Amino acid sequence: MARMSTAPDAGQLIAILLKLLNPKKTIEIGVYTGYSLLLTAVNIPGDGQVSNLPTLYENEIELSNSTHKDLQIIAIDPDREAYEIGLPVIQKARVDHKIKFIESEALAVLDTILENGENEGQFDYAYVDADKGNYRNYHERLMKLLKVGGVCVYDNTLWAGTVAMSEEQTPEPMKAERKAILEFNKALAADPRVQLSQAPLGDGISICRRIY
């Protein structure tokens, strides 16, 4: 299970980044047991909100002692069971009131949020650690949701170092995701909408700042 979570050294950088950004509205794609979600929740201010959340998702989860204006993080993952493993830790940190967990595939949720044009350019920060084959699809939608100056962090963009290996050297179980990550990395490098930094921490994190 630990191999699927954000690496501690990457988490330290993300925590500092969040303090510098001071984001009020964030979105997380891929939650698993919630380590990166906890990082976000404890490092963002307590006065933000998520506005214009589609009615379809209003009742996805009941959060004790929270109101709609408290919600700052939209967290999307199809696996509620994994999320609930880490939920007691999030509750112990007293930041569960900041989170709206949505049990769903992410593309459907992002498309629904984007149906309301008022949501474009309204998010300050996004974090993605999900199915690698959809990273480019997530990126295109997040470029609409993030404000100019907003930041998105993508995890696993070195894919255990296989991006620097030949196809023949790559273990068979990693080949499909390696190909997806290679294509995604090339797309990010060529995207004029973002300022990009590839940090060789954990399994590699790509930090994108939207510049227009």
Side-chain angles (χ1 to χ4, degrees):
M1 292 174 66
R3 291 178 62 238
M4 294 177 64
S5 298
T6 303
D9 52 354
Q12 290 174 338
L13 177 61
I14 290 169
I16 293 173
L17 183 64
L18 287 164
K19 288 295 187 183
L20 292 171
L21 287 171
N22 199 38
K24 302 296 180 68
K25 296 167 71 172
T26 75
I27 190 164
E28 180 154 337
I29 300 171
V31 174
Y32 192 47
T33 56
Y35 175 61
S36 59
L37 182 59
L38 177 63
L39 273 175
T40 301
V42 300
N43 284 291
I44 61 177
D47 59 346
Q49 68 178 55
V50 173
S51 59
N52 300 319
L53 190 63
T55 304
L56 175 64
Y57 300 110
E58 282 294 327
N59 298 315
E60 280 289 319
I61 187 169
E62 294 182 3
L63 298 173
S64 60
N65 301 319
S66 69
T67 63
H68 183 67
K69 69 178 182 178
D70 291 321
L71 300 169
Q72 295 173 258
I73 308 167
I74 296 178
I76 311 165
D77 198 293
D79 188 352
R80 181 186 295 273
E81 185 176 343
Y83 166 68
E84 289 180 346
I85 291 173
L87 183 57
V89 180
I90 294 172
Q91 292 170 331
K92 187 174 182 180
R94 299 183 179 180
V95 291
D96 53 304
H97 63 281
K98 298 181 181 182
I99 299 165
K100 176 71 173 182
F101 178 78
I102 299 174
E103 183 182 6
S104 173
E105 299 294 338
L107 287 178
V109 178
L110 297 176
D111 287 341
T112 302
I113 294 172
L114 282 166
E115 286 178 2
N116 184 341
E118 294 182 8
N119 286 321
E120 293 194 17
Q122 292 300 306
F123 287 81
D124 305 298
Y125 172 80
Y127 179 81
V128 181
D129 183 4
D131 50 319
K132 313 314 171 192
N134 269 317
Y135 268 29
R136 291 184 71 175
N137 293 323
Y138 298 144
H139 182 69
E140 289 306 314
R141 288 156 176 79
L142 291 172
M143 285 298 100
K144 296 177 181 178
L145 290 171
L146 284 173
K147 69 179 184 181
V148 173
V151 169
C152 184
V153 175
Y154 297 94
D155 200 8
N156 304 121
T157 52
L158 293 181
W159 201 238
T162 59
V163 294
M165 297 179 186
S166 67
E167 179 79 7
E168 293 73 22
Q169 291 174 312
T170 303
E172 192 64 35
M174 305 187 76
K175 285 185 176 180
E177 289 82 2
R178 170 188 175 272
K179 181 180 178 182
I181 288 294
L182 279 171
E183 292 175 353
F184 177 67
N185 289 344
K186 291 176 182 177
L188 281 188
D191 190 344
R193 298 168 297 181
V194 300
Q195 180 182 7
L196 174 66
S197 176
Q198 165 64 256
L201 299 174
D203 196 23
I205 56 174
S206 293
I207 303 169
C208 302
R209 175 177 174 268
R210 183 184 172 193
I211 56 178
Y212 72 81

